[in-house]
Amino acid sequence: DTGVSQDPRHKITKRGQNVTFRCDPISEHNRLYWYRQTLGQGPEFLTYFQNEAQLEKSRLLSDRFSAERPKGSFSTLEIQRTEQGDSAMYLCASSSPNGQGRRGAFFGQGTRLTVV
Amino acid sequence: TQLLEQSPQFLSIQEGENLTVYCNSSSVFSSLQWYRQEPGEGPVLLVTVVTGGEVKKLKRLTFQFGDARKDSSLHITAAQPGDTGLYLCAGVGSGGGADGLTFGKGTHLIIQP
């Protein structure tokens, strides 16, 4: 297993367009997290899955954002009607059943979104 | 909302020097983690500290968790250019995601050869 992979690495889109990002976690990890990181800030939690169930969503996740993990493996994050304020690095992380508090979270390389 | 304050925000020093960066909060965390992030990459876990007063060493890096579990420090001895990166602390206990990782803004460290 090569770790958490995210696709695409970079995305430039026009304001108002929809975008979708994909995350493939480490195969034996049942927990999957999405974070957003803007310039000069640390990552901010967006949402969390345990297997296919979405258990928590941050207030940062507006109605234009939706995340899925249909089979408990890969996950997608969709942003509808993108705004310039959505420009950020979107990070996916996965952790073992013990959770990210024990052995930490394993992060992907992120998808950098630029809305023009 | 539990906040983690990291200081300094930026630090640029010469190779071979020692340095300490800090992570402070007014809240208690069940544990605290340090990550290192390079440009264009995701954060990579360095260490988790759990017990108040705990000290962990990772080669030239020494991590300490405060007795009250509200603060932590990272000391690097004889810094090398390969230590350059963004050092993030993350408190475990609330902030979302079941295990509740709350990140600080990070310390941008540059080690000049």
Side-chain angles (χ1 to χ4, degrees):
Chain A
D1 196 337
T2 57
V4 178
S5 63
Q6 293 188 245
D7 182 71
R9 291 289 308 277
H10 304 275
K11 178 70 177 180
I12 300 173
T13 190
K14 291 184 178 180
R15 190 176 54 181
Q17 297 293 307
N18 299 342
V19 294
T20 300
F21 311 139
R22 176 179 169 123
C23 171
D24 286 89
I26 293 172
S27 57
E28 62 265 28
H29 286 178
N30 68 337
R31 297 187 180 200
L32 186 147
Y33 309 81
W34 285 99
Y35 288 84
R36 183 175 70 186
Q37 186 175 24
T38 54
L39 200 61
Q41 304 290 323
E44 297 173 294
F45 168 76
L46 292 178
T47 189
Y48 153 66
F49 290 85
Q50 183 165 305
N51 299 312
E52 66 275 9
Q54 187 174 18
L55 297 186
E56 283 191 56
K57 291 197 292 186
S58 162
R59 287 173 294 176
L60 294 174
L61 213 65
S62 75
D63 292 343
R64 297 184 295 104
F65 288 70
S66 62
E68 294 183 343
R69 195 183 183 195
K71 298 182 180 179
S73 56
F74 74 91
S75 175
T76 59
L77 177 67
E78 182 184 15
I79 308 174
Q80 295 181 329
R81 304 181 302 283
T82 52
E83 302 172 356
Q84 287 187 324
D86 296 332
S87 295
M89 173 80 88
Y90 290 84
L91 291 163
C92 175
S94 68
S95 70
S96 66
N98 286 329
Q100 57 186 345
R102 300 288 181 89
R103 294 179 178 271
F106 292 78
F107 283 85
Q109 293 175 308
T111 294
R112 179 162 297 283
L113 173 67
T114 303
V115 181
V116 297
Chain B
T1 302
Q2 295 178 310
L3 295 176
L4 282 169
E5 302 282 343
Q6 290 192 244
S7 62
Q9 191 174 355
F10 297 97
L11 183 60
S12 178
I13 62 171
Q14 294 294 124
E15 181 178 1
E17 294 184 9
N18 301 333
L19 66 108
T20 303
V21 298
Y22 301 92
C23 174
N24 295 296
S25 174
S26 58
S27 302
V28 175
F29 291 97
S30 59
S31 63
L32 196 139
Q33 297 174 343
W34 284 91
Y35 290 81
R36 179 168 163 263
Q37 185 177 24
E38 297 190 29
E41 303 290 331
V44 175
L45 178 70
L46 296 173
V47 76
T48 300
V49 285
V50 179
T51 307
E54 181 177 4
V55 177
K56 280 192 173 179
K57 291 192 175 183
L58 186 65
K59 297 184 180 178
R60 294 176 293 100
L61 277 60
T62 302
F63 304 86
Q64 186 163 7
F65 201 13
D67 291 339
R69 290 186 290 128
K70 292 183 179 181
D71 55 86
S72 181
S73 64
L74 159 58
H75 181 79
I76 301 179
T77 303
Q80 298 178 2
D83 296 327
T84 293
L86 175 65
Y87 288 82
L88 294 158
C89 66
V92 182
S94 71
D99 306 286
L101 280 186
T102 303
F103 282 90
K105 291 185 179 182
T107 292
H108 293 263
L109 176 63
I110 296 174
I111 310 300
Q112 299 180 15

